[in-house]
Amino acid sequence: MYHRVAQTREFDQLIVSPRRFEAQMSILAARHRVVSLGEGLQALRDGRLREPMVAVTFDDGYLDNLEVAAPILQRYSIPATVFVTTRFCDQSAVHPRYAEGEQGANGLRVHLDWNQVRALADVPGLEIGSHTVSHPYLQTVPEARARQEILDSRLQIERELGRPVRYFCYPSGDLGSREVALVREAGYEAAVSVAPGRNRPGADFWRLRRTEITDRDDDRAFALKLSGAFDALHGLLHVRRQRRFARAAARSRTLSKP
Ligand SMILES: [Zn+2]
């Protein structure tokens, strides 16, 4: 799981430098079976996973995915799925993390516009998925709003691109059984979470796991992450985050009662 590929002065959990990203992609291409999300899911469905497979994803639809990441992906023939938030593509909202400061406030756009999403979708091996309309914590919003976030984003991306949108990505990995039901109802084939670790045959296609890669992942750390060495630790941290989400969802339910 990636977000941005860009050069920054300070460490940002969501940003990997172009140099680091290229090193990681070269390791993937040399040592791993890298597949598209669709191919990986097909293998999971068939239960024919003789060797581990890796799929690359990007969240939020950043402009650097097209300008910086795509050329590197192409150089190594690595497919990827980019999950876009439609209001970010409309340029009517920005991911809160980049709404102010160095990027964003001074007029520099951080997100892809629709022409750029189309350009990205035209890159061989790249596919666009949905990451909602406005990037909310889905469990904290009323059901009608959650349904609209999940379904309308899919319809708008399909209209803009003229091709089907098959995969969904929960913002911040905030999901419960209601969100899973809505994603299925909206006609997606699968959805990705931020629960860390590998997906094995029999995996839940509505809660697919992903491992976050950061700029701190040098060759050694990257190889260890891919081998699953951090899965137990990341799993513990994830349980804590899920508890926080559950508390926030409970609070918003209490608040919305008359
Ligand atoms: Zn996101």
Side-chain angles (χ1 to χ4, degrees):
M1 172 176 66
Y2 289 96
H3 289 80
R4 304 189 56 189
V5 180
Q7 200 61 55
T8 47
R9 273 188 294 256
E10 280 165 24
F11 175 77
D12 180 322
Q13 183 81 15
L14 301 188
I15 303 181
V16 177
S17 75
R19 207 170 141 182
R20 182 72 85 198
F21 184 70
E22 171 131 27
Q24 293 169 346
M25 292 306 104
S26 80
I27 289 174
L28 277 190
R31 303 189 207 154
H32 294 270
R33 173 100 191 274
V34 194
V35 295
S36 66
L37 198 49
E39 210 180 323
L41 293 175
Q42 193 56 49
L44 282 175
R45 226 178 256 126
D46 296 348
R48 53 169 175 79
L49 269 181
R50 253 168 269 121
E51 52 176 333
M53 294 176 174
V54 180
V56 175
T57 65
F58 294 85
D59 289 6
D60 303 333
Y62 293 101
L63 183 50
D64 56 52
N65 294 175
L66 174 69
E67 294 184 334
V68 185
I72 296 171
L73 292 168
Q74 277 192 285
R75 207 170 304 143
Y76 293 93
S77 301
I78 291 178
T81 307
V82 179
F83 294 101
V84 303
T85 297
T86 57
R87 285 221 182 117
F88 298 169
C89 307
D90 292 339
Q91 307 294 316
S92 60
V94 178
H95 191 287
R97 195 181 186 105
Y98 304 108
E100 287 171 38
E102 192 189 343
Q103 332 208 17
N106 61 3
L108 279 181
R109 276 205 292 119
V110 290
H111 291 292
L112 299 154
D113 66 22
W114 286 111
N115 281 327
Q116 290 160 333
V117 176
R118 278 186 282 274
L120 201 53
D122 283 339
V123 174
L126 289 200
E127 180 165 357
I128 307 298
S130 166
H131 196 37
T132 71
V133 172
S134 72
H135 206 278
Y137 287 92
L138 282 170
Q139 288 192 97
T140 68
V141 302
E143 178 158 340
R145 163 91 190 281
R147 176 178 286 110
Q148 174 242 326
E149 290 279 347
I150 292 166
L151 177 61
D152 290 6
S153 55
R154 172 164 181 248
L155 298 176
Q156 188 182 354
I157 301 166
E158 291 187 340
R159 260 197 321 274
E160 294 281 355
L161 300 187
R163 58 184 93 185
V165 170
R166 303 188 289 171
Y167 310 119
F168 181 78
C169 172
Y170 306 93
S172 316
D174 184 19
L175 72 122
S177 51
R178 183 187 76 175
E179 286 64 40
V180 169
L182 291 173
V183 169
R184 299 181 72 148
E185 177 192 300
Y188 292 97
E189 287 178 27
V192 298
S193 73
V194 297
R198 297 186 201 194
N199 300 287
R200 298 172 192 281
D204 185 342
F205 272 31
W206 310 104
R207 292 180 174 85
L208 290 165
R209 295 171 174 276
R210 293 187 299 167
T211 296
E212 181 174 51
I213 306 299
T214 75
D215 197 55
R216 296 213 168 109
D217 294 321
D218 59 13
D219 292 4
R220 189 167 164 275
F222 187 62
L224 281 171
K225 262 191 186 173
L226 287 169
S227 75
F230 297 127
D231 287 359
L233 170 66
H234 291 164
L236 281 175
L237 296 172
H238 181 68
V239 167
R240 267 203 237 158
R241 179 167 48 201
Q242 290 308 102
R243 285 205 195 110
R244 235 177 21 242
F245 284 156
R247 281 197 298 272
R251 261 199 312 277
S252 71
R253 276 195 297 274
T254 317
L255 289 173
S256 61
K257 274 187 195 129

